[in-house]
Amino acid sequence: MGSILLSITGGVLSIAIGYSMYLVFLRSVDVSKAAPVSQGLFAVLAVISGLFILGEVVSWFTFIGIAAMVAGLYTLSIAQRSQSVSTEARWLGFKGLAFMVLVASFWVAGFSLQKKALEHLDVVIANGLRLPVVFFFLAAFASLRLSRSLVSPDLEEPDTEAQASAPIPTGVEVRPESSFEVKG
């Protein structure tokens, strides 16, 4: 029973909370900037978690790899920061980086709990239990948010001016031809 609770808790932390926070974050930052930083932070935090929490054996090559990843993230940060000054690209900033550390921490915590749960639990059973719980967790959160907006409609009022001035789609708009379009 303990392994089942670890698996479910890990799923809620990594998928329901971590990935939901990441998707919210993607609204304000370009994915070309957020993805490398988040994946790099996840890898670094995963090694630290494996070393100190899970008791995994880590070699010097792992630390060299971590140093290379940190150097790469720093280099990416400098390149993106100089690009954002010139092209107004959306960059992380200090708050965004702190948020990404929080997101990666949720991912690592969830996956670390999964690792512990899988010591005594079959992979298929772990996924079969955690994914429906994650779904119901997210569905409950969505229904609370929906019911709150129904009770207090002023929380999420649509922009009626933007809707009134938006063109009515007719289906005959001219679009530039794309090389990715399927022609039939």
Side-chain angles (χ1 to χ4, degrees):
M1 187 64 176
S3 295
I4 292 172
L5 288 175
L6 283 176
S7 180
I8 289 171
T9 304
V12 168
L13 287 175
S14 62
I15 300 170
I17 297 173
Y19 280 112
S20 295
M21 289 172 61
Y22 182 67
L23 293 176
V24 167
F25 186 66
L26 284 180
R27 287 182 176 173
S28 61
V29 176
D30 294 337
V31 72
S32 64
K33 296 166 182 71
V37 172
S38 64
Q39 295 304 312
L41 286 170
F42 172 72
V44 169
L45 292 176
V47 169
I48 293 169
S49 170
L51 181 65
F52 293 110
I53 297 172
L54 299 173
E56 295 178 354
V57 178
V58 179
S59 71
W60 284 105
F61 290 115
T62 304
F63 288 113
I64 292 170
I66 288 176
M69 287 171 63
V70 169
L73 289 172
Y74 182 73
T75 304
L76 177 69
S77 174
I78 290 172
Q80 296 294 341
R81 194 173 297 130
S82 66
Q83 178 190 18
S84 67
V85 170
S86 63
T87 63
E88 304 255 344
R90 299 177 299 171
W91 179 234
L92 298 172
F94 179 75
K95 288 181 182 178
L97 190 58
F99 191 79
M100 289 310 302
V101 168
L102 183 63
V103 167
S105 298
F106 275 109
W107 288 344
V108 169
F111 288 121
S112 296
L113 291 175
Q114 285 298 323
K115 168 77 170 149
K116 289 303 265 183
L118 291 175
E119 291 174 358
H120 305 288
L121 198 60
D122 182 62
V123 173
V124 174
I125 292 173
N127 270 332
L129 293 172
R130 77 183 178 122
L131 294 177
V133 170
V134 167
F135 167 75
F136 285 115
F137 180 86
L138 289 171
F141 181 74
S143 69
L144 286 174
R145 187 167 180 215
L146 177 64
S147 66
R148 193 176 94 192
S149 68
L150 291 175
V151 172
S152 303
D154 60 326
L155 292 176
E156 295 183 23
E157 282 192 31
D159 186 11
T160 53
E161 286 182 30
Q163 287 178 352
S165 65
I168 298 171
T170 61
V172 293
E173 287 84 12
V174 177
R175 295 184 308 165
E177 196 167 326
S178 170
S179 61
F180 295 105
E181 230 171 277
V182 178
K183 306 216 179 201

